[in-house]
Amino acid sequence: MNENDRWERDAMREIALEGIKERQRARRWGIFFKLAFLAYLVALLIPFAGGFLFERPTGPHLAKVNVTGLISADELASAELVNQGLQAAFNAPRAEGVVLYINSPGGSPVQSNRIYSEINRLREQHQGMAVYAVIDDVGASGAYYIASAADEIFVNPASVVGSIGVISGGFGFTEAMEKLGVERRIYTAGENKAFLDPFAPEEEAHQAHMERLLEEVHSQFIADVRAGRGERLADDDRLFSGLIWTGESSVELGLADGFGDIAHVAREVAGVDQVLDYSRHPGLLRFITDRLGMSIGKAITRALTEGHELR
């Protein structure tokens, strides 16, 4: 075998060996990513499996239900999920009371009303079961609506409380369209179907109708808060003006009853040492995909911004 043939043979061997090594590396990385995903999946499942893997305390306790984030049909603070948690809490053996942990700026008046109504329904079924509300950073608008169904409301002096009002807003683009030379074309069956169209001039009759609608919802809000708080509310017209208050001021105005967190309410008010969480979460598949999507989004953001800092 001449030198040239030997060189070609060695070169082919090196190429073949490198191909084998590359496949081995690819296989190892594949195994690594599969294990990493499995570990991540297990971490996601722990909150759901905890109730089966660990023995839950069975002694007297305070049953907690969270109302956190935006109150909306598609969020954790939806009437469907919160009401499921409330039903489990009220029916829990050895529960000495139910506490709503609230940290929400409000949201849908429909969802808020459904939760408020469910609290009252369950209280009628479970006579003697006390209901407390603890407002953390914020309990405003629809979140305060829900809190007002409780027997007592506890806040932090720096909490944001109130906002008993209703709001609806939008934009008008008519002048911008004129400047851009854009012509609006819309076709309806029903003279008011294009009600409050942002691309058309606002009509006084439509504006008056919207204001009456908001006033009606506001009146329902006020009536339910008055029913829940009763004579504890101060005689102050500003209470229902949409203003927000600190926790300290809310106690003075009768919007809240005192200061305290969940642990304080459990020990000093309900007289128990344990607090068990009966909050409900969305379906497992949705929970995993949402969390996975958030993680991927964060990873992409870190990759795009790595090495770029604002100073």
Side-chain angles (χ1 to χ4, degrees):
M1 181 181 295
N2 59 36
E3 189 67 26
N4 188 54
D5 291 339
R6 185 179 296 107
W7 180 87
E8 289 182 354
R9 185 192 61 186
D10 292 342
M12 291 297 294
R13 182 186 296 113
E14 288 296 328
I15 293 172
L17 289 174
E18 188 60 32
I20 294 172
K21 291 178 182 178
E22 184 63 30
R23 286 195 296 272
Q24 289 175 339
R25 283 194 293 266
R27 188 180 298 110
R28 284 196 295 268
W29 277 111
I31 294 172
F32 169 77
F33 283 117
K34 288 177 182 177
L35 290 175
F37 180 77
L38 180 61
Y40 182 75
L41 188 61
V42 170
L44 290 177
L45 291 172
I46 286 175
F48 293 91
F52 300 98
L53 297 175
F54 306 104
E55 183 179 357
R56 292 175 65 89
T58 57
H61 63 275
L62 193 60
K64 179 169 78 91
V65 179
N66 294 332
V67 181
T68 57
L70 183 67
I71 300 171
S72 169
D74 298 323
E75 302 291 337
L76 282 175
S78 68
E80 179 182 3
L81 291 177
V82 173
N83 287 350
Q84 288 176 9
L86 287 168
Q87 292 158 13
F90 270 89
N91 289 296
R94 308 300 301 276
E96 298 295 319
V98 175
V99 60
L100 294 159
Y101 170 75
I102 295 175
N103 194 8
S104 167
S108 164
V110 173
Q111 299 293 306
S112 301
N113 176 267
R114 286 178 58 191
I115 297 171
Y116 177 98
S117 299
E118 182 65 5
I119 293 170
N120 287 329
R121 186 187 74 83
L122 290 169
R123 288 171 65 177
E124 290 181 3
Q125 290 185 352
H126 301 266
Q127 297 290 332
M129 179 72 81
V131 182
Y132 311 103
V134 172
I135 294 175
D136 199 349
D137 292 304
V138 57
S141 195
Y144 183 77
Y145 190 165
I146 294 168
S148 67
D151 295 303
E152 294 182 87
I153 300 174
F154 295 87
V155 296
N156 183 278
S159 298
V160 174
V161 182
S163 188
I164 302 174
V166 184
I167 185 172
S168 177
F171 298 91
F173 300 99
T174 53
E175 292 186 11
M177 291 174 64
E178 290 176 4
K179 292 179 180 179
L180 293 171
V182 178
E183 180 184 359
R184 173 65 164 162
R185 296 178 182 177
I186 187 168
Y187 310 98
T188 67
E191 59 181 327
N192 293 311
K193 189 60 180 177
F195 173 62
L196 296 181
D197 179 2
F199 299 101
E202 191 173 34
E203 297 183 19
E204 290 186 4
H206 289 171
Q207 181 181 355
H209 180 79
M210 189 64 182
E211 290 175 352
R212 287 194 296 271
L213 185 151
L214 295 177
E215 284 294 333
E216 185 175 346
V217 176
H218 191 204
S219 296
Q220 296 168 1
F221 191 170
I222 293 171
D224 285 340
V225 169
R226 286 193 181 279
R229 299 300 297 166
E231 296 181 355
R232 288 173 289 185
L233 291 172
D235 186 13
D236 191 326
D237 293 337
R238 297 176 302 162
L239 288 180
F240 306 113
S241 68
L243 286 174
I244 57 174
W245 313 88
T246 64
E248 186 172 6
S249 295
S250 72
V251 173
E252 296 173 358
L253 292 168
L255 294 170
D257 299 287
F259 305 118
D261 56 12
I262 294 284
H264 168 83
V265 172
R267 291 192 308 266
E268 307 300 330
V269 182
V272 296
D273 295 323
Q274 298 177 357
V275 178
L276 297 185
D277 193 348
Y278 289 86
S279 303
R280 291 299 185 257
H281 301 281
L284 179 59
L285 180 59
R286 176 184 163 190
F287 179 80
I288 291 174
T289 54
D290 286 352
R291 289 287 297 274
L292 185 59
M294 289 173 59
S295 298
I296 292 173
K298 290 178 180 178
I300 293 172
T301 301
R302 284 197 299 268
L304 292 174
T305 58
E306 191 176 45
H308 302 278
E309 297 181 3
L310 294 176
R311 297 183 181 276

